[in-house]
Amino acid sequence: MIYLIGYMGSGKSTVASVLSRKLNYEYIEMDQQIEQKEGLSIPEIFQKYGEAYFRKAESELLQSISGDVIVSTGGGIVLSDENRKWLKGNTVVYLDASFETIDERLSGDMSRPLWSGQKNENNKRYEERLPLYQSSASCTVKVDGKEPEEIADEVLSCLNLQISGHNKER
Ligand code: S3P
């Protein structure tokens, strides 16, 4: 299992699909699964039931995933202690995008309830989340200015290094 974490707009879904092709693993897009289960879009879920409800569904889904899969998580997965504990000890790759990159990519985005029209609000949330991504990750790949293929290759080399590191320890 490989979990991709990172802020909204960092490219988790795209990179997950490239990795899935390269590794011949299935990939799971958590937001999409929640939308399917609820029969509602993410903004609709937030609007109808609130964020806490969404977070609960997100944690339940996280704990139900097993097997050889690549998991594209939602940007808020690292918010709860419970989720961070669940991720600990697993292969967790942080796609590290600068705030400038994200701001550029998400300008005008209406599909993310926690991406606001206020730049300072978005920046504050980004800064608050950074340490959570960093401490949850077993690999970090910087994504600014890179194509998905290149990012996926860097994820793979980071993971290979980890595996050879483990072997050396044995
Ligand atoms: C969220 C990120 C979104 C989605 C929801 C909340 C967040 O996923 O789960 O809107 O709190 O960062 P993406 O990271 O795929 O945009």
Side-chain angles (χ1 to χ4, degrees):
M1 196 114 71
I2 301 171
Y3 298 95
L4 297 184
I5 63 168
Y7 206 70
M8 304 173 237
S10 57
K12 293 164 295 202
S13 307
T14 314
V15 173
S17 80
V18 177
L19 280 173
S20 130
R21 171 167 52 75
K22 285 182 186 278
L23 289 171
N24 203 18
Y25 277 15
E26 275 183 48
Y27 83 93
I28 289 177
E29 159 65 68
M30 289 187 63
D31 282 347
Q32 206 178 42
Q33 291 230 339
I34 296 170
E35 290 183 323
Q36 271 170 10
K37 181 159 180 261
E38 300 290 333
L40 295 169
S41 69
I42 300 287
E44 285 167 345
I45 298 170
F46 270 68
Q47 203 184 22
K48 194 162 173 201
Y49 302 120
E51 181 176 349
Y53 177 91
F54 172 78
R55 296 298 175 206
K56 193 161 171 277
E58 191 176 41
S59 293
E60 281 170 10
L61 173 60
L62 180 70
Q63 297 185 17
S64 74
I65 300 169
S66 61
D68 278 348
V69 283
I70 297 157
V71 185
S72 173
T73 63
I77 201 79
V78 293
L79 292 176
S80 88
D81 275 354
E82 187 190 358
N83 293 351
R84 292 200 303 275
K85 275 191 199 131
W86 187 265
L87 293 174
K88 217 163 187 69
N90 283 295
T91 303
V92 180
V93 181
Y94 169 34
L95 299 186
D96 179 2
S98 67
F99 181 72
E100 288 65 35
T101 293
I102 286 168
D103 192 41
E104 229 174 78
R105 286 191 191 161
L106 297 188
S107 93
D109 185 281
M110 301 298 281
S111 67
R112 293 171 168 95
L114 297 182
W115 180 256
S116 99
Q118 304 280 330
K119 191 164 180 172
N120 56 351
E121 213 177 279
N122 290 331
N123 191 250
K124 184 166 171 275
R125 179 172 282 116
Y126 175 88
E127 295 289 338
E128 282 167 0
R129 297 239 185 120
L130 277 186
L132 301 177
Y133 295 128
Q134 287 160 348
S135 65
S136 303
S138 46
C139 269
T140 296
V141 172
K142 288 196 178 289
V143 303
D144 289 354
K146 294 178 191 160
E147 294 298 325
E149 280 286 327
E150 188 183 354
I151 298 166
D153 286 338
E154 286 189 29
V155 169
L156 292 177
S157 40
C158 186
L159 298 178
N160 279 335
L161 282 177
Q162 274 197 341
I163 294 165
S164 54
H166 276 304
N167 287 342
K168 258 183 231 150
E169 280 161 25
R170 277 195 197 149

